[in-house]
Amino acid sequence: MTKLDFSQINKNAADSFNEQRNIIKKIGRGDTVLCPTCQQPFKLSVSLLGKSGLSCEKGCTNIALELEL
């Protein structure tokens, strides 16, 4: 039986998570962060009833946030 190597998949997932976490931290500090794809600034949307997250104007990048009370 062949063993599957998930190390590269795990590394990519961890890198993506860390990149998103750093973007959220910068926006939380009040910094302007540009979308890597379209170079438009991210906008923060916070709602207890709807979807919360970060996105650019064009919608090419979306980061969903889970809020707790």
PDB file of all heavy atoms in Angstrom, residues 1 11 14 18 22 24 26 30 32-33 37 39-40 42 45 48 52 63-64 67-68:
ATOM      1  N   MET A   1       0.844  -1.180   0.000  1.00  0.00           N
ATOM      2  CA  MET A   1       0.000   0.000   0.000  1.00  0.00           C
ATOM      3  C   MET A   1       0.891   1.246   0.000  1.00  0.00           C
ATOM      4  O   MET A   1       1.856   1.337   0.746  1.00  0.00           O
ATOM      5  CB  MET A   1      -0.902  -0.027   1.230  1.00  0.00           C
ATOM      6  CG  MET A   1      -1.838   1.125   1.300  1.00  0.00           C
ATOM      7  SD  MET A   1      -3.029   0.837   2.622  1.00  0.00           S
ATOM      8  CE  MET A   1      -4.403   1.624   1.917  1.00  0.00           C
ATOM      9  N   LYS A  11       1.669  22.380   3.996  1.00  0.00           N
ATOM     10  CA  LYS A  11       2.485  23.598   3.975  1.00  0.00           C
ATOM     11  C   LYS A  11       1.742  24.726   3.259  1.00  0.00           C
ATOM     12  O   LYS A  11       1.716  25.859   3.730  1.00  0.00           O
ATOM     13  CB  LYS A  11       3.828  23.342   3.300  1.00  0.00           C
ATOM     14  CG  LYS A  11       4.744  24.557   3.298  1.00  0.00           C
ATOM     15  CD  LYS A  11       6.015  24.297   2.528  1.00  0.00           C
ATOM     16  CE  LYS A  11       6.947  25.469   2.488  1.00  0.00           C
ATOM     17  NZ  LYS A  11       6.361  26.776   2.327  1.00  0.00           N
ATOM     18  N   ALA A  14      -1.061  26.008   5.516  1.00  0.00           N
ATOM     19  CA  ALA A  14      -0.520  26.797   6.621  1.00  0.00           C
ATOM     20  C   ALA A  14      -0.052  28.162   6.132  1.00  0.00           C
ATOM     21  O   ALA A  14      -0.294  29.186   6.797  1.00  0.00           O
ATOM     22  CB  ALA A  14       0.635  26.050   7.285  1.00  0.00           C
ATOM     23  N   ASN A  18      -1.610  31.731   7.398  1.00  0.00           N
ATOM     24  CA  ASN A  18      -0.752  32.776   7.972  1.00  0.00           C
ATOM     25  C   ASN A  18      -0.845  34.080   7.195  1.00  0.00           C
ATOM     26  O   ASN A  18      -0.854  35.166   7.785  1.00  0.00           O
ATOM     27  CB  ASN A  18       0.697  32.291   8.043  1.00  0.00           C
ATOM     28  CG  ASN A  18       0.892  31.223   9.083  1.00  0.00           C
ATOM     29  OD1 ASN A  18       0.203  31.209  10.106  1.00  0.00           O
ATOM     30  ND2 ASN A  18       1.800  30.305   8.838  1.00  0.00           N
ATOM     31  N   ASN A  22      -2.273  37.558   8.811  1.00  0.00           N
ATOM     32  CA  ASN A  22      -1.493  38.795   8.795  1.00  0.00           C
ATOM     33  C   ASN A  22      -2.269  39.950   8.153  1.00  0.00           C
ATOM     34  O   ASN A  22      -2.178  41.088   8.608  1.00  0.00           O
ATOM     35  CB  ASN A  22      -0.156  38.576   8.097  1.00  0.00           C
ATOM     36  CG  ASN A  22       0.781  37.708   8.908  1.00  0.00           C
ATOM     37  OD1 ASN A  22       0.678  37.648  10.130  1.00  0.00           O
ATOM     38  ND2 ASN A  22       1.689  37.020   8.236  1.00  0.00           N
ATOM     39  N   ILE A  24      -5.551  40.267   8.240  1.00  0.00           N
ATOM     40  CA  ILE A  24      -6.555  40.653   9.235  1.00  0.00           C
ATOM     41  C   ILE A  24      -5.918  41.483  10.344  1.00  0.00           C
ATOM     42  O   ILE A  24      -6.484  42.480  10.791  1.00  0.00           O
ATOM     43  CB  ILE A  24      -7.250  39.393   9.802  1.00  0.00           C
ATOM     44  CG1 ILE A  24      -8.084  38.727   8.699  1.00  0.00           C
ATOM     45  CG2 ILE A  24      -8.123  39.736  10.997  1.00  0.00           C
ATOM     46  CD1 ILE A  24      -8.540  37.324   9.029  1.00  0.00           C
ATOM     47  N   LYS A  26      -3.252  43.445  10.101  1.00  0.00           N
ATOM     48  CA  LYS A  26      -2.933  44.778   9.567  1.00  0.00           C
ATOM     49  C   LYS A  26      -4.179  45.644   9.487  1.00  0.00           C
ATOM     50  O   LYS A  26      -4.146  46.819   9.841  1.00  0.00           O
ATOM     51  CB  LYS A  26      -2.280  44.653   8.192  1.00  0.00           C
ATOM     52  CG  LYS A  26      -0.868  44.118   8.255  1.00  0.00           C
ATOM     53  CD  LYS A  26      -0.283  43.951   6.864  1.00  0.00           C
ATOM     54  CE  LYS A  26       1.096  43.328   6.929  1.00  0.00           C
ATOM     55  NZ  LYS A  26       1.657  43.089   5.591  1.00  0.00           N
ATOM     56  N   GLY A  30      -5.556  49.243  11.526  1.00  0.00           N
ATOM     57  CA  GLY A  30      -5.944  50.432  10.781  1.00  0.00           C
ATOM     58  C   GLY A  30      -5.129  50.665   9.524  1.00  0.00           C
ATOM     59  O   GLY A  30      -5.262  51.703   8.875  1.00  0.00           O
ATOM     60  N   THR A  32      -3.965  50.191   5.615  1.00  0.00           N
ATOM     61  CA  THR A  32      -4.614  49.906   4.340  1.00  0.00           C
ATOM     62  C   THR A  32      -3.875  48.746   3.694  1.00  0.00           C
ATOM     63  O   THR A  32      -2.660  48.787   3.534  1.00  0.00           O
ATOM     64  CB  THR A  32      -4.575  51.130   3.403  1.00  0.00           C
ATOM     65  OG1 THR A  32      -5.279  52.194   4.031  1.00  0.00           O
ATOM     66  CG2 THR A  32      -5.208  50.820   2.064  1.00  0.00           C
ATOM     67  N   VAL A  33      -4.615  47.708   3.343  1.00  0.00           N
ATOM     68  CA  VAL A  33      -4.031  46.529   2.710  1.00  0.00           C
ATOM     69  C   VAL A  33      -4.664  46.367   1.339  1.00  0.00           C
ATOM     70  O   VAL A  33      -5.884  46.421   1.199  1.00  0.00           O
ATOM     71  CB  VAL A  33      -4.275  45.262   3.567  1.00  0.00           C
ATOM     72  CG1 VAL A  33      -3.638  44.055   2.922  1.00  0.00           C
ATOM     73  CG2 VAL A  33      -3.741  45.458   4.973  1.00  0.00           C
ATOM     74  N   THR A  37      -4.372  40.632  -6.099  1.00  0.00           N
ATOM     75  CA  THR A  37      -4.779  40.404  -7.484  1.00  0.00           C
ATOM     76  C   THR A  37      -5.074  41.700  -8.232  1.00  0.00           C
ATOM     77  O   THR A  37      -4.530  41.956  -9.301  1.00  0.00           O
ATOM     78  CB  THR A  37      -6.019  39.494  -7.534  1.00  0.00           C
ATOM     79  OG1 THR A  37      -5.726  38.288  -6.833  1.00  0.00           O
ATOM     80  CG2 THR A  37      -6.412  39.172  -8.961  1.00  0.00           C
ATOM     81  N   GLN A  39      -5.097  44.988  -6.673  1.00  0.00           N
ATOM     82  CA  GLN A  39      -4.480  46.151  -6.026  1.00  0.00           C
ATOM     83  C   GLN A  39      -5.491  47.178  -5.514  1.00  0.00           C
ATOM     84  O   GLN A  39      -5.162  48.341  -5.359  1.00  0.00           O
ATOM     85  CB  GLN A  39      -3.470  46.830  -6.969  1.00  0.00           C
ATOM     86  CG  GLN A  39      -2.314  45.932  -7.380  1.00  0.00           C
ATOM     87  CD  GLN A  39      -1.525  45.431  -6.179  1.00  0.00           C
ATOM     88  OE1 GLN A  39      -1.137  46.203  -5.332  1.00  0.00           O
ATOM     89  NE2 GLN A  39      -1.300  44.136  -6.116  1.00  0.00           N
ATOM     90  N   GLN A  40      -6.729  46.744  -5.262  1.00  0.00           N
ATOM     91  CA  GLN A  40      -7.741  47.586  -4.637  1.00  0.00           C
ATOM     92  C   GLN A  40      -7.703  47.356  -3.134  1.00  0.00           C
ATOM     93  O   GLN A  40      -7.392  46.257  -2.679  1.00  0.00           O
ATOM     94  CB  GLN A  40      -9.136  47.247  -5.184  1.00  0.00           C
ATOM     95  CG  GLN A  40      -9.305  47.494  -6.665  1.00  0.00           C
ATOM     96  CD  GLN A  40      -9.206  48.966  -7.005  1.00  0.00           C
ATOM     97  OE1 GLN A  40      -9.780  49.804  -6.337  1.00  0.00           O
ATOM     98  NE2 GLN A  40      -8.437  49.262  -8.046  1.00  0.00           N
ATOM     99  N   PHE A  42      -8.744  46.446   0.643  1.00  0.00           N
ATOM    100  CA  PHE A  42      -9.728  45.574   1.256  1.00  0.00           C
ATOM    101  C   PHE A  42     -10.704  46.399   2.071  1.00  0.00           C
ATOM    102  O   PHE A  42     -10.350  47.419   2.644  1.00  0.00           O
ATOM    103  CB  PHE A  42      -9.052  44.565   2.206  1.00  0.00           C
ATOM    104  CG  PHE A  42      -8.398  43.414   1.505  1.00  0.00           C
ATOM    105  CD1 PHE A  42      -7.025  43.263   1.529  1.00  0.00           C
ATOM    106  CD2 PHE A  42      -9.151  42.474   0.833  1.00  0.00           C
ATOM    107  CE1 PHE A  42      -6.420  42.197   0.904  1.00  0.00           C
ATOM    108  CE2 PHE A  42      -8.553  41.394   0.195  1.00  0.00           C
ATOM    109  CZ  PHE A  42      -7.181  41.268   0.234  1.00  0.00           C
ATOM    110  N   SER A  45     -16.245  44.075   6.457  1.00  0.00           N
ATOM    111  CA  SER A  45     -17.684  44.026   6.654  1.00  0.00           C
ATOM    112  C   SER A  45     -17.957  43.197   7.898  1.00  0.00           C
ATOM    113  O   SER A  45     -17.569  42.030   7.967  1.00  0.00           O
ATOM    114  CB  SER A  45     -18.359  43.387   5.439  1.00  0.00           C
ATOM    115  OG  SER A  45     -19.708  43.154   5.698  1.00  0.00           O
ATOM    116  N   LEU A  48     -23.510  40.818  12.697  1.00  0.00           N
ATOM    117  CA  LEU A  48     -23.876  39.669  13.521  1.00  0.00           C
ATOM    118  C   LEU A  48     -24.925  38.798  12.834  1.00  0.00           C
ATOM    119  O   LEU A  48     -25.060  37.625  13.139  1.00  0.00           O
ATOM    120  CB  LEU A  48     -24.393  40.134  14.880  1.00  0.00           C
ATOM    121  CG  LEU A  48     -23.365  40.836  15.764  1.00  0.00           C
ATOM    122  CD1 LEU A  48     -24.026  41.349  17.035  1.00  0.00           C
ATOM    123  CD2 LEU A  48     -22.222  39.899  16.099  1.00  0.00           C
ATOM    124  N   SER A  52     -19.690  38.218   7.531  1.00  0.00           N
ATOM    125  CA  SER A  52     -18.637  39.143   7.917  1.00  0.00           C
ATOM    126  C   SER A  52     -17.352  38.710   7.231  1.00  0.00           C
ATOM    127  O   SER A  52     -17.097  37.524   7.050  1.00  0.00           O
ATOM    128  CB  SER A  52     -18.430  39.128   9.427  1.00  0.00           C
ATOM    129  OG  SER A  52     -19.590  39.556  10.078  1.00  0.00           O
ATOM    130  N   ILE A  63     -12.193  36.972   2.316  1.00  0.00           N
ATOM    131  CA  ILE A  63     -11.775  36.248   3.504  1.00  0.00           C
ATOM    132  C   ILE A  63     -12.947  36.306   4.474  1.00  0.00           C
ATOM    133  O   ILE A  63     -13.315  37.373   4.946  1.00  0.00           O
ATOM    134  CB  ILE A  63     -10.517  36.866   4.147  1.00  0.00           C
ATOM    135  CG1 ILE A  63      -9.355  36.865   3.159  1.00  0.00           C
ATOM    136  CG2 ILE A  63     -10.145  36.121   5.424  1.00  0.00           C
ATOM    137  CD1 ILE A  63      -8.124  37.614   3.644  1.00  0.00           C
ATOM    138  N   ALA A  64     -13.562  35.170   4.732  1.00  0.00           N
ATOM    139  CA  ALA A  64     -14.712  35.115   5.645  1.00  0.00           C
ATOM    140  C   ALA A  64     -14.235  35.135   7.082  1.00  0.00           C
ATOM    141  O   ALA A  64     -13.187  34.576   7.411  1.00  0.00           O
ATOM    142  CB  ALA A  64     -15.521  33.853   5.380  1.00  0.00           C
ATOM    143  N   LEU A  67     -17.553  35.425  13.745  1.00  0.00           N
ATOM    144  CA  LEU A  67     -17.619  36.296  14.919  1.00  0.00           C
ATOM    145  C   LEU A  67     -18.294  35.581  16.072  1.00  0.00           C
ATOM    146  O   LEU A  67     -19.234  34.824  15.872  1.00  0.00           O
ATOM    147  CB  LEU A  67     -18.393  37.577  14.590  1.00  0.00           C
ATOM    148  CG  LEU A  67     -17.843  38.428  13.448  1.00  0.00           C
ATOM    149  CD1 LEU A  67     -18.748  39.617  13.207  1.00  0.00           C
ATOM    150  CD2 LEU A  67     -16.432  38.886  13.760  1.00  0.00           C
ATOM    151  N   GLU A  68     -17.781  35.824  17.261  1.00  0.00           N
ATOM    152  CA  GLU A  68     -18.389  35.276  18.466  1.00  0.00           C
ATOM    153  C   GLU A  68     -18.801  36.426  19.365  1.00  0.00           C
ATOM    154  O   GLU A  68     -18.137  37.436  19.416  1.00  0.00           O
ATOM    155  CB  GLU A  68     -17.398  34.380  19.204  1.00  0.00           C
ATOM    156  CG  GLU A  68     -17.016  33.138  18.455  1.00  0.00           C
ATOM    157  CD  GLU A  68     -16.057  32.256  19.241  1.00  0.00           C
ATOM    158  OE1 GLU A  68     -15.803  32.553  20.421  1.00  0.00           O
ATOM    159  OE2 GLU A  68     -15.568  31.281  18.662  1.00  0.00           O
TER     160      GLU A  68
END
